[in-house]
Amino acid sequence: MVSVSDFAGRDVITVNEFRRDEIVFLLDAAAQFEQVTGTLLAGRVIATLFFEPSTRTRLSFESAVGRLGGSCVGFAEAGVSSQAKGESLADTVRVVEGYSDLLLLRHPLEGAARLAAEVAQIPVVNCGDGAHQHPTQTFVDLYTMQRECGRIDGLHVVFAGDLRYGRAVHSLVSVLTLFNARITLVSPQFLRLPEEQRRTLETLGVEYREMESLEASLPEADVLYMTRVQRERFTDPTEYDKFKDAYTLDMSVLQNARDSLAILHPLPRVQEIAREVDVHPHAAYFRQAHYGVAVRKALMALILGHADKVLA
Amino acid sequence: MSGFSIRGGRVVSADGVVERDLFVRDGKIVAGDEGSAFAESIDATGKLIFPGLIDTQVHFREPGAEHKEDLASGSLAAIAGGVTTFFEMPNTNPPTTTPEALADKLRRCEGRAWSDHAFFLGATEDNVDSLDEWEHTPGCCGVKVFMGSSTGSLLVDDAAVLESILRNGQRPVAVHAEDEARLRARYATIPSGSPYNIHPEVRDPTAALLATTRLLDLAEKTKRRVHVLHISTADEIELLRERDLKGLVTAEATPNHLFLEAPDCYNRFGAGVQMNPPVRDRRHQEVIRQGVVDGVIDCIGSDHAPHAPEEKAKPYPDSPSGIPSVQMTLGLLLTAVRDGWLALEDIARLTAAGPAAIFDIHDKGVLKVGADADLTIVDPSIVQPLPEQWVRSRAGYSPFVGTPLAGWPVCTMVRGAIAYRDHEPVGKAAGRPVTVG
């Protein structure tokens, strides 16, 4: 049985450190925290050490802290001056842990969150690193499916667009293997899910298929997870132009889908979802961003040992 | 050579860090539509890919002092640290002050130098009239002037001679700027056997500032481009910022001045960290770091200057100056990224695009279609303390051994050929002369 004590004081560095029952527990807690505001974290200080800018993630966390009556200290971008003239990361952590109860770290280098967690006596949450481990984003994606579809187990999830480089996709695919999901991967050959990931799916016996046509993938889908194709990925700009239009979701493409299809996107979008889709009742991507606050409220309350006042 | 791809890495440039594949054929970066058919591939998933470093200040000691280092051992240390191009200084024996001496160095590199390379021509009172012609010698990257810190013919402490050097030629002139008269006066006062930690007082900030100020005045007067080597003081950074001579004056910082700090480093390593101009205290270090971040500094060169341990053991001031660090630049800069005061993009700017722009090096410094496939693949998961056995310089020591790493190069390619992988050289030394201008 999972209990609040399993989360107290815990570092959150990758999603793979979480068992299925722990994730389910966290998502249930998030549901109960959705409407919670107040003073649960009154007097608690959360340090946001953002060594590279990530405005969305930082705002989501700061909103969650504010809703629960806590406060944030930190910086949004590194530099010699903001960084105490080039103090070592280990020293920064040792200083800041004396000012705060929880450390949120965003950093361009893989391994920095792990290092911070080793140095710090207080818990550390990885808010994105060089290798794009971003565990709270994955929890938010799962929570969105739970909220929009009422369940995660057995859902048929279509991933479309850039599956090669979209690390949000990689983390989510790997966690969905814990939930008996059916997975359809829609991408041009060039942007397929990496072989290593596909092999993992096969090893785990996960039912998945790959296709190139977005329209053909939709009829049986419960969830469509769109991703953006970034221009910078391409050595040659003409290649980008070839691929960029291949996966644009608009109302005519949606004709092939069930009315209940939930549409997710980690945002920001470029052109891969037409503006006309925004009014679709199951266009969930803005709600997805909002759910992030509930998930982060629950996670921080659990880590700081205050969740039992809310959880039934 | 058939083509191959490097897949899944995060490619670093001065403009950003982007996960993308690179395609290489005949030693050059080619476009994806050409390269997507290449059967052979190197997996760089989870790795960072940097343009090969261009280290425009090294001393490899050959000819004349091969017991300290030679072109083979120095360039091996270079590729071990991701340096795919080096520019070597003229204070060898004999000094590189003629086209013949420079051609001799190029010949010595054949089949022995692991990195691509070019050599500075040393300016002297005697060769000043020939410099405008000689600077175009094949394999010559420019002219080097020692305003202090050298002996014999290479020392130029006469203002009139310096001015005529600047008036004779077009290429950027790289300068070691310390005021020789002040240095002599100060050395005369110290007894032999003084502690090594007085080195930054003997060669004090004023000595550097006086010479650099004079140099900037002359650059402005002659309109000749000058490159100020190894900035060591906060005062020079402030001077460069104030004078704002961008386009005419460029400046270099070394990893030694960025990552070593007096008095601590002298207490720990003694003569091992003695170099010219000296490593100074934290106040200077902070301002140089700021200059590196905000663009006052245009490039980072290692000023790799090895000596044999028994030479370094001599009492001050007979202990020779110089720190072997050509292999350390990239690893140290990655710790600055971990510590949050530098971005990955800054590393590419300072070690590749920057030097290529200063010295007008074609087809190197940026990993774009048509450029040489000079690159180094960094494994960011290597976070152990730097082990001594990875150090490749003949000097055999480094004050940076034991530094907790934040990534380290694991594979270095020179024009598409792997030259160093997993801490071992691969194949044969195949460095070639670089064309500049």
Side-chain angles (χ1 to χ4, degrees), chain A residues 78 86 89 107 164 232-233, chain B residues 18 20-21 289 338-340:
Chain A
L89 175 61
H107 200 286
R164 171 101 199 275
E232 306 86 56
R233 305 265 183 244
Chain B
V18 180
R20 65 180 172 92
D21 296 339
R289 284 182 174 186
R338 175 198 61 208
D339 294 341

Side-chain angles (χ1 to χ4, degrees), chain B residues 6 51 106-108 168 178 207 241 299 302 349 355 362 396 401:
Chain B
I6 305 169
L106 286 180
R107 266 194 308 277
R108 289 165 178 272
N168 264 307
E178 282 185 288
R241 206 188 299 276
C299 78
S302 69
R349 170 174 61 83
H362 302 290
V401 164

Side-chain angles (χ1 to χ4, degrees), chain A residues 288-305:
Chain A
Q288 186 180 359
H290 302 160
Y291 295 141
V293 177
V295 172
R296 291 178 174 116
K297 279 194 288 189
L299 182 67
M300 288 189 287
L302 280 164
I303 292 172
L304 291 171

Side-chain angles (χ1 to χ4, degrees), chain A residues 6-20:
Chain A
D6 293 314
F7 286 86
R10 185 166 181 173
D11 297 317
V12 180
I13 309 299
T14 74
V15 285
N16 306 102
E17 295 154 11
F18 287 80
R19 300 192 313 260
R20 178 196 149 103

Side-chain angles (χ1 to χ4, degrees), chain A residues 32-50:
Chain A
Q32 296 181 63
F33 266 88
E34 227 177 72
Q35 301 302 323
V36 173
T37 59
T39 57
L40 206 59
L41 296 184
R44 295 304 201 120
V45 178
I46 314 300
T48 53
L49 305 188
F50 275 49

Side-chain angles (χ1 to χ4, degrees), chain B residues 132-419:
Chain B
D132 57 342
E133 185 193 330
W134 289 359
E135 70 177 7
H136 299 291
T137 306
C140 174
C141 50
V143 171
K144 165 76 184 277
V145 174
F146 289 89
M147 290 173 74
S149 192
S150 196
T151 52
S153 64
L154 281 172
L155 181 65
V156 177
D157 60 348
D158 182 289
V161 176
L162 180 56
E163 180 169 342
S164 53
I165 290 168
L166 294 188
R167 290 197 186 280
N168 264 307
Q170 284 80 44
R171 292 219 171 132
V173 177
V175 182
H176 180 127
E178 282 185 288
D179 186 82
E180 182 65 15
R182 187 175 176 90
L183 295 182
R184 277 193 197 154
R186 296 176 74 80
Y187 270 109
T189 65
I190 53 160
S192 179
S194 296
Y196 298 109
N197 66 16
I198 67 164
H199 190 57
E201 291 163 46
V202 176
R203 304 181 80 106
D204 69 347
T206 305
L209 184 63
L210 280 174
T212 300
T213 305
R214 251 189 6 254
L215 178 63
L216 299 196
D217 291 344
L218 274 177
E220 230 174 348
K221 186 175 170 192
T222 61
K223 302 291 174 222
R224 181 72 180 272
R225 283 178 54 201
V226 300
H227 180 55
V228 193
L229 298 166
H230 42 46
I231 296 292
S232 69
T233 63
D235 314 62
E236 290 164 287
I237 294 282
E238 281 149 20
L239 176 73
L240 288 164
R241 206 188 299 276
E242 226 166 76
R243 296 284 291 265
D244 191 22
L245 296 170
K246 284 282 172 203
L248 193 61
V249 174
T250 50
E252 175 200 71
T254 77
N256 306 320
H257 295 101
L258 292 170
F259 295 96
L260 294 170
E261 188 184 315
D264 167 73
C265 67
Y266 294 99
N267 298 337
R268 290 177 62 201
F269 303 108
V273 293
Q274 179 193 325
M275 71 169 290
N276 303 332
V279 170
R280 307 185 192 278
D281 64 21
R282 182 158 183 110
R283 183 181 76 86
H284 293 286
Q285 185 194 52
E286 280 173 10
V287 176
I288 300 169
R289 284 182 174 186
Q290 184 65 54
V292 157
V293 170
D294 66 22
V296 171
I297 295 291
D298 299 274
C299 78
I300 290 177
S302 69
D303 193 11
H304 178 83
H307 294 285
E310 59 275 19
E311 296 166 329
K312 278 289 193 182
K314 290 181 186 172
Y316 189 80
D318 299 326
S319 45
S321 289
I323 305 173
S325 42
V326 67
Q327 192 184 345
M328 305 301 160
T329 305
L330 180 54
L332 290 169
L333 292 173
L334 286 163
T335 71
V337 176
R338 175 198 61 208
D339 294 341
W341 62 270
L342 197 71
L344 291 168
E345 293 88 335
D346 293 327
I347 298 182
R349 170 174 61 83
L350 291 158
T351 65
I358 295 166
F359 290 96
D360 204 6
I361 309 166
H362 302 290
D363 302 334
K364 291 187 185 291
V366 181
L367 293 173
K368 62 178 184 198
V369 171
D372 287 347
D374 291 350
L375 56 90
T376 189
I377 302 175
V378 163
D379 184 348
S381 72
I382 295 176
V383 294
Q384 71 198 84
L386 176 64
E388 191 168 14
Q389 63 267 29
W390 289 1
V391 177
R392 280 285 177 181
S393 167
R394 183 160 294 161
Y397 65 90
S398 165
F400 300 111
V401 164
T403 299
L405 298 174
W408 189 256
V410 291
C411 178
T412 302
M413 279 182 206
V414 180
R415 282 172 285 99
I418 294 177

